[in-house]
Amino acid sequence: MKAQELRHLFLEYFRDKGHEIVQSAPMVVKNDPTLMFTNAGMNQFKDIFLGNTPPKYNRIANSQKCLRVSGKHNDLEEVGHDTYHHTMFEMLGNWSFGEYFKEEAIEWAWEFLTERLGIPRERLYATIFRGSPEENVPRDDEAFRFWQKCFPDMPHHILEGPKKDNFWEMGDTGPCGPCSEIHIDVRGEKERKKLPGQDLVNKGDPQVIEIWNLVFIQYNRKADGSLEMLPAKHVDTGMGFERLCMVVQGKKSNYDTDLFQPVIKEISSITGKKYGEKGTWDTAMRVIADHLRAVSFSIADGQLPSNNKAGYVIRRILRRAVRYGYNGLGMEEPFMYRLVPKLAEAMGDHYPELTSLKELISKIILEEETAFLKTLGKGLKMIEKMISDLKKSSVRILPGKVAFELYDTFGFPADLTQLILREHNMEVDIPGFEDEMKNQKERSRENALLDAGDWQIIRDTGDTIFTGYQNTAEDVLITRYRMVKTKGREVCHIVLDKTPFYAESGGQVGDTGFIQSHNERIVITDTVKENDLIIHVAGKVPSEPAAGFRAEVSQERRKMTAANHTATHLLHYALREVLGSHVEQKGSLVTPDRLRFDFSHFAKPSGDELLRVEERANRLVMENMNRQVTDNIPLKQARSMGAVALFGEKYGETVRVVQFGDSVELCGGTHVDSTASIGIIKIISEGAIAAGIRRIEAVTAARALEYINERISAVEDIAVMLKSTGNIKESVEKLVAENSALRKSLEKYQARSAMNSLKEIENRAIRIGDIRFLSGIIEADSAETLKTLAFEVRKKPENSIMVIGSDIEGKANLVVMVSDRLTGERNISAVDIIKVIAGEINGGGGGQPFLATAGGKNPGGLAKALKKAEEFLKNL
Ligand code: ATP
Ligand code: MG
């Protein structure tokens, strides 16, 4: 059975059981400070489990793109070395929100695997939670009973497991509960007879692996660690799709399925190396095939490789693959980008964004590969240098810190560094390396994780109603609040029953302002979203949280932000009109002071094109178009109105459409009432941020005026300085021409004056044996001039040695020249002479036998240096 059919079969099976089939959420998480990437199917339903939002459907099934490379789930180091962990994988899942529980979940999983897919029962094992007396959590007897029905005659196929494997928690606090894993034994008959499968469950055997985890969420863990029963119990299941494919397609490795084979075959044909011969390169091929997916899907989701946060994680994954290609397959040229079309073939049916964006993905990967291959070369050089340094000081162990630096900046994992060192009979301080690694992990945890206290519930009024599209002030009530520590700072998170505050999203910054009760005013420094929850960030805890409050948004800031937001829409429209309809939004940042707009376009727009874009956008401003908003319409209808949906953006059931004339956008942001209040749009910069992606920065309204005035006044200042009354451009051109003429005549003059000095020096030449010795201190503008003089003398037939010095901008410079005949027949070297005299100017130098130079801090020592050279030669 093809992977494609299998995915379909799973979804249809649960559709028959009354489940709504939903889309995979983006793999890159945007609205959750505790999570960078989706790492399980349940992430997108977190708010439902937390009780923040009611579920739209009580039964849901889907296939979710997951990435496990950071935080709680990090499988990166396993990937490629084993055959069943991926960085990016698909998780098939079914959910019940307060409806069915353990009995149905177990029965259906069982029916799907054994009846629909015909997997032999004797190859399956189930685990249940054995209980934890110290935490006062009982054994999961319920699950045990239901599993007994599946294995009536095979009691040894039900195993009890510890908390580590059989108790699931979302975080330190929040919903949790016991889980049942389903494992499969895919070994051959003989091996299975020799050793029963139950002995290998959860033991890391690649042929006895977990395929499905059924989580039964029945508790809520509070900040003090205690558990309370949840009023509504939920089911959350996750099955590794690639592993299931392996089983159903009768393979022993995920990489042998049709999900990976097309890409692996392409790697073979590019590198000329065959996969599956247990050669040293099998691991490299698996790593590349796997990482290609992770990187491509994340680019399709709008997350480009970059230098920080999620972008950096993606860059590191790509670099890991490049490095395996380099060391394992001898690929010193970029090649991964050539695999993208095959990937799109294998997975594009279910994920059409891969197909439509394959050119962009390929270009970005090529650029990253090219850049990293350069760094990689540098890293290898650095290791070589370290090795030779260590050898010189007879040290055999590379400090952990250095190994970590190689890992962190050049993507060299410790095992590679170890391998290279071993070739030189050296070792890496692995414990030291691990310490550094641990430190870094802790640092990134501290940065990423919020240390949140329990919510203090004041009243329960359901979801927050957002009124900020109409109002900027509102009478409100606090529904809950909590204390949160981030980076050592303590803030209070406040949730309101309704709010005029816009929470940061879609690139637009959150509102600021205050809430005021009869006895206090609390400043709101930011408004953010955690999934769908609108959180007001405040500096202090309300002293009387149950009181009535007046919430007021800072209006000036909101107005400026709105002007910038509408301006991004107009620029987007103008860009498509001037550059072409291939232009797609790739990101944006809208603040009160300026805006940033990223878009796809493969060439640098010419100055003229940019001018036209700016002109077009400003014309839309002057036409004073009114805002038209259509809210709560299905995505399909919005599309038919001309709105373009962005990949990687999570759209709800219905969407909001913002129109200004012909500009139509899906947008949840706040905008001006009519375009005239933008005043003016001024583009202040344009440049590339990645292959095929460009960024425009612009300012509007008062900021634009400030910008323009600053520019104009700079020009006016110049006019005054130039005493120019007419055309400033002409005056500047004249100045530049004059300047270059002056520079040329100065150079001529300096050359002549240096030649004169040379003549003087030659007149004062003395004889030391049969050598003509020239020396002197001269005035020169650069060390180059000294060298030019040296070459002049070298050309002459006499056997000369010249030592000249100069004080150039407070630094001492020395040049020693020895005629060719003297270096050859007499074995006199300018290097030896410079070494003897450089000390006098507090410096050092070197060069070649016929010409050596030195620089030093002490120009006062020049005369002594010359004298010393003379003595040196006299004593030769
Ligand atoms: P394992 O112990 O094999 O790492 P897990 O306990 O981390 O699995 P869960 O978090 O329970 O797995 O995830 C649910 C299912 O997702 C697993 O049963 C497995 O089939 C699949 N899965 C988990 N991690 C990966 C991965 N890195 N690559 C592919 N599939 C995975
Ligand atoms: Mg795991």
Side-chain angles (χ1 to χ4, degrees), residues 131-143:
S132 156
E134 44 314 345
E135 288 200 53
N136 220 1
V137 191
R139 174 180 183 266
D140 194 354
D141 292 334
E142 253 181 309

mmCIF file with all atom_site columns, all heavy atoms in Angstrom, residues 131-143:
data_model
loop_
_atom_site.group_PDB
_atom_site.id
_atom_site.type_symbol
_atom_site.label_atom_id
_atom_site.label_alt_id
_atom_site.label_comp_id
_atom_site.label_asym_id
_atom_site.label_entity_id
_atom_site.label_seq_id
_atom_site.pdbx_PDB_ins_code
_atom_site.Cartn_x
_atom_site.Cartn_y
_atom_site.Cartn_z
_atom_site.occupancy
_atom_site.B_iso_or_equiv
_atom_site.pdbx_formal_charge
_atom_site.auth_seq_id
_atom_site.auth_comp_id
_atom_site.auth_asym_id
_atom_site.auth_atom_id
_atom_site.pdbx_PDB_model_num
ATOM 1  N N   . GLY A 1 131 ? 1.471   2.882  37.717 1.00 0.00 ? 131 GLY A N   1
ATOM 2  C CA  . GLY A 1 131 ? 1.102   3.635  38.908 1.00 0.00 ? 131 GLY A CA  1
ATOM 3  C C   . GLY A 1 131 ? 2.314   4.143  39.642 1.00 0.00 ? 131 GLY A C   1
ATOM 4  O O   . GLY A 1 131 ? 3.425   3.673  39.424 1.00 0.00 ? 131 GLY A O   1
ATOM 5  N N   . SER A 1 132 ? 2.080   5.162  40.486 1.00 0.00 ? 132 SER A N   1
ATOM 6  C CA  . SER A 1 132 ? 3.193   5.751  41.206 1.00 0.00 ? 132 SER A CA  1
ATOM 7  C C   . SER A 1 132 ? 2.712   6.087  42.605 1.00 0.00 ? 132 SER A C   1
ATOM 8  O O   . SER A 1 132 ? 2.080   7.111  42.833 1.00 0.00 ? 132 SER A O   1
ATOM 9  C CB  . SER A 1 132 ? 3.655   7.009  40.461 1.00 0.00 ? 132 SER A CB  1
ATOM 10 O OG  . SER A 1 132 ? 4.316   7.874  41.330 1.00 0.00 ? 132 SER A OG  1
ATOM 11 N N   . PRO A 1 133 ? 2.981   5.155  43.579 1.00 0.00 ? 133 PRO A N   1
ATOM 12 C CA  . PRO A 1 133 ? 2.491   5.364  44.944 1.00 0.00 ? 133 PRO A CA  1
ATOM 13 C C   . PRO A 1 133 ? 3.006   6.676  45.532 1.00 0.00 ? 133 PRO A C   1
ATOM 14 O O   . PRO A 1 133 ? 2.260   7.378  46.208 1.00 0.00 ? 133 PRO A O   1
ATOM 15 C CB  . PRO A 1 133 ? 3.050   4.170  45.720 1.00 0.00 ? 133 PRO A CB  1
ATOM 16 C CG  . PRO A 1 133 ? 3.549   3.208  44.687 1.00 0.00 ? 133 PRO A CG  1
ATOM 17 C CD  . PRO A 1 133 ? 3.731   3.933  43.402 1.00 0.00 ? 133 PRO A CD  1
ATOM 18 N N   . GLU A 1 134 ? 4.283   7.035  45.217 1.00 0.00 ? 134 GLU A N   1
ATOM 19 C CA  . GLU A 1 134 ? 4.812   8.249  45.850 1.00 0.00 ? 134 GLU A CA  1
ATOM 20 C C   . GLU A 1 134 ? 4.051   9.491  45.411 1.00 0.00 ? 134 GLU A C   1
ATOM 21 O O   . GLU A 1 134 ? 3.937   10.467 46.149 1.00 0.00 ? 134 GLU A O   1
ATOM 22 C CB  . GLU A 1 134 ? 6.302   8.424  45.729 1.00 0.00 ? 134 GLU A CB  1
ATOM 23 C CG  . GLU A 1 134 ? 7.193   8.224  44.546 1.00 0.00 ? 134 GLU A CG  1
ATOM 24 C CD  . GLU A 1 134 ? 7.096   6.999  43.656 1.00 0.00 ? 134 GLU A CD  1
ATOM 25 O OE1 . GLU A 1 134 ? 6.490   5.944  43.960 1.00 0.00 ? 134 GLU A OE1 1
ATOM 26 O OE2 . GLU A 1 134 ? 7.671   7.128  42.597 1.00 0.00 ? 134 GLU A OE2 1
ATOM 27 N N   . GLU A 1 135 ? 3.501   9.461  44.181 1.00 0.00 ? 135 GLU A N   1
ATOM 28 C CA  . GLU A 1 135 ? 2.736   10.623 43.718 1.00 0.00 ? 135 GLU A CA  1
ATOM 29 C C   . GLU A 1 135 ? 1.242   10.410 43.921 1.00 0.00 ? 135 GLU A C   1
ATOM 30 O O   . GLU A 1 135 ? 0.426   11.224 43.464 1.00 0.00 ? 135 GLU A O   1
ATOM 31 C CB  . GLU A 1 135 ? 3.019   10.893 42.242 1.00 0.00 ? 135 GLU A CB  1
ATOM 32 C CG  . GLU A 1 135 ? 4.395   11.443 42.022 1.00 0.00 ? 135 GLU A CG  1
ATOM 33 C CD  . GLU A 1 135 ? 4.492   12.142 40.692 1.00 0.00 ? 135 GLU A CD  1
ATOM 34 O OE1 . GLU A 1 135 ? 3.659   13.031 40.426 1.00 0.00 ? 135 GLU A OE1 1
ATOM 35 O OE2 . GLU A 1 135 ? 5.388   11.776 39.912 1.00 0.00 ? 135 GLU A OE2 1
ATOM 36 N N   . ASN A 1 136 ? 0.918   9.258  44.497 1.00 0.00 ? 136 ASN A N   1
ATOM 37 C CA  . ASN A 1 136 ? -0.483  8.995  44.774 1.00 0.00 ? 136 ASN A CA  1
ATOM 38 C C   . ASN A 1 136 ? -1.300  8.833  43.484 1.00 0.00 ? 136 ASN A C   1
ATOM 39 O O   . ASN A 1 136 ? -2.459  9.228  43.428 1.00 0.00 ? 136 ASN A O   1
ATOM 40 C CB  . ASN A 1 136 ? -1.057  10.159 45.590 1.00 0.00 ? 136 ASN A CB  1
ATOM 41 C CG  . ASN A 1 136 ? -1.989  9.630  46.653 1.00 0.00 ? 136 ASN A CG  1
ATOM 42 O OD1 . ASN A 1 136 ? -2.150  8.404  46.739 1.00 0.00 ? 136 ASN A OD1 1
ATOM 43 N ND2 . ASN A 1 136 ? -2.593  10.518 47.419 1.00 0.00 ? 136 ASN A ND2 1
ATOM 44 N N   . VAL A 1 137 ? -0.671  8.276  42.437 1.00 0.00 ? 137 VAL A N   1
ATOM 45 C CA  . VAL A 1 137 ? -1.420  8.008  41.207 1.00 0.00 ? 137 VAL A CA  1
ATOM 46 C C   . VAL A 1 137 ? -1.539  6.497  41.061 1.00 0.00 ? 137 VAL A C   1
ATOM 47 O O   . VAL A 1 137 ? -0.536  5.789  41.099 1.00 0.00 ? 137 VAL A O   1
ATOM 48 C CB  . VAL A 1 137 ? -0.688  8.564  39.965 1.00 0.00 ? 137 VAL A CB  1
ATOM 49 C CG1 . VAL A 1 137 ? -1.610  8.506  38.761 1.00 0.00 ? 137 VAL A CG1 1
ATOM 50 C CG2 . VAL A 1 137 ? -0.213  9.970  40.211 1.00 0.00 ? 137 VAL A CG2 1
ATOM 51 N N   . PRO A 1 138 ? -2.767  5.989  40.903 1.00 0.00 ? 138 PRO A N   1
ATOM 52 C CA  . PRO A 1 138 ? -2.945  4.533  40.835 1.00 0.00 ? 138 PRO A CA  1
ATOM 53 C C   . PRO A 1 138 ? -2.560  3.950  39.477 1.00 0.00 ? 138 PRO A C   1
ATOM 54 O O   . PRO A 1 138 ? -2.406  4.669  38.495 1.00 0.00 ? 138 PRO A O   1
ATOM 55 C CB  . PRO A 1 138 ? -4.440  4.359  41.074 1.00 0.00 ? 138 PRO A CB  1
ATOM 56 C CG  . PRO A 1 138 ? -5.050  5.626  40.578 1.00 0.00 ? 138 PRO A CG  1
ATOM 57 C CD  . PRO A 1 138 ? -4.046  6.702  40.839 1.00 0.00 ? 138 PRO A CD  1
ATOM 58 N N   . ARG A 1 139 ? -2.397  2.617  39.436 1.00 0.00 ? 139 ARG A N   1
ATOM 59 C CA  . ARG A 1 139 ? -2.172  1.882  38.185 1.00 0.00 ? 139 ARG A CA  1
ATOM 60 C C   . ARG A 1 139 ? -3.386  2.102  37.283 1.00 0.00 ? 139 ARG A C   1
ATOM 61 O O   . ARG A 1 139 ? -4.513  2.273  37.756 1.00 0.00 ? 139 ARG A O   1
ATOM 62 C CB  . ARG A 1 139 ? -2.031  0.410  38.557 1.00 0.00 ? 139 ARG A CB  1
ATOM 63 C CG  . ARG A 1 139 ? -1.923  -0.562 37.398 1.00 0.00 ? 139 ARG A CG  1
ATOM 64 C CD  . ARG A 1 139 ? -1.784  -1.978 37.984 1.00 0.00 ? 139 ARG A CD  1
ATOM 65 N NE  . ARG A 1 139 ? -1.602  -3.005 36.973 1.00 0.00 ? 139 ARG A NE  1
ATOM 66 C CZ  . ARG A 1 139 ? -2.593  -3.723 36.455 1.00 0.00 ? 139 ARG A CZ  1
ATOM 67 N NH1 . ARG A 1 139 ? -3.856  -3.495 36.818 1.00 0.00 ? 139 ARG A NH1 1
ATOM 68 N NH2 . ARG A 1 139 ? -2.328  -4.674 35.573 1.00 0.00 ? 139 ARG A NH2 1
ATOM 69 N N   . ASP A 1 140 ? -3.156  2.081  35.964 1.00 0.00 ? 140 ASP A N   1
ATOM 70 C CA  . ASP A 1 140 ? -4.262  2.319  35.041 1.00 0.00 ? 140 ASP A CA  1
ATOM 71 C C   . ASP A 1 140 ? -5.037  1.023  34.791 1.00 0.00 ? 140 ASP A C   1
ATOM 72 O O   . ASP A 1 140 ? -4.945  0.409  33.727 1.00 0.00 ? 140 ASP A O   1
ATOM 73 C CB  . ASP A 1 140 ? -3.728  2.908  33.731 1.00 0.00 ? 140 ASP A CB  1
ATOM 74 C CG  . ASP A 1 140 ? -4.847  3.490  32.872 1.00 0.00 ? 140 ASP A CG  1
ATOM 75 O OD1 . ASP A 1 140 ? -6.030  3.335  33.251 1.00 0.00 ? 140 ASP A OD1 1
ATOM 76 O OD2 . ASP A 1 140 ? -4.530  4.090  31.824 1.00 0.00 ? 140 ASP A OD2 1
ATOM 77 N N   . ASP A 1 141 ? -5.822  0.611  35.790 1.00 0.00 ? 141 ASP A N   1
ATOM 78 C CA  . ASP A 1 141 ? -6.567  -0.659 35.705 1.00 0.00 ? 141 ASP A CA  1
ATOM 79 C C   . ASP A 1 141 ? -7.574  -0.657 34.563 1.00 0.00 ? 141 ASP A C   1
ATOM 80 O O   . ASP A 1 141 ? -7.812  -1.671 33.921 1.00 0.00 ? 141 ASP A O   1
ATOM 81 C CB  . ASP A 1 141 ? -7.320  -0.921 37.012 1.00 0.00 ? 141 ASP A CB  1
ATOM 82 C CG  . ASP A 1 141 ? -6.358  -1.205 38.146 1.00 0.00 ? 141 ASP A CG  1
ATOM 83 O OD1 . ASP A 1 141 ? -5.233  -1.675 37.851 1.00 0.00 ? 141 ASP A OD1 1
ATOM 84 O OD2 . ASP A 1 141 ? -6.714  -0.934 39.309 1.00 0.00 ? 141 ASP A OD2 1
ATOM 85 N N   . GLU A 1 142 ? -8.140  0.520  34.331 1.00 0.00 ? 142 GLU A N   1
ATOM 86 C CA  . GLU A 1 142 ? -9.150  0.634  33.275 1.00 0.00 ? 142 GLU A CA  1
ATOM 87 C C   . GLU A 1 142 ? -8.569  0.225  31.929 1.00 0.00 ? 142 GLU A C   1
ATOM 88 O O   . GLU A 1 142 ? -9.112  -0.627 31.223 1.00 0.00 ? 142 GLU A O   1
ATOM 89 C CB  . GLU A 1 142 ? -9.555  2.116  33.166 1.00 0.00 ? 142 GLU A CB  1
ATOM 90 C CG  . GLU A 1 142 ? -10.895 2.473  33.704 1.00 0.00 ? 142 GLU A CG  1
ATOM 91 C CD  . GLU A 1 142 ? -11.133 3.964  33.481 1.00 0.00 ? 142 GLU A CD  1
ATOM 92 O OE1 . GLU A 1 142 ? -10.258 4.788  33.846 1.00 0.00 ? 142 GLU A OE1 1
ATOM 93 O OE2 . GLU A 1 142 ? -12.180 4.293  32.926 1.00 0.00 ? 142 GLU A OE2 1
ATOM 94 N N   . ALA A 1 143 ? -7.445  0.866  31.582 1.00 0.00 ? 143 ALA A N   1
ATOM 95 C CA  . ALA A 1 143 ? -6.810  0.566  30.291 1.00 0.00 ? 143 ALA A CA  1
ATOM 96 C C   . ALA A 1 143 ? -6.455  -0.915 30.241 1.00 0.00 ? 143 ALA A C   1
ATOM 97 O O   . ALA A 1 143 ? -6.644  -1.576 29.217 1.00 0.00 ? 143 ALA A O   1
ATOM 98 C CB  . ALA A 1 143 ? -5.571  1.423  30.105 1.00 0.00 ? 143 ALA A CB  1
#
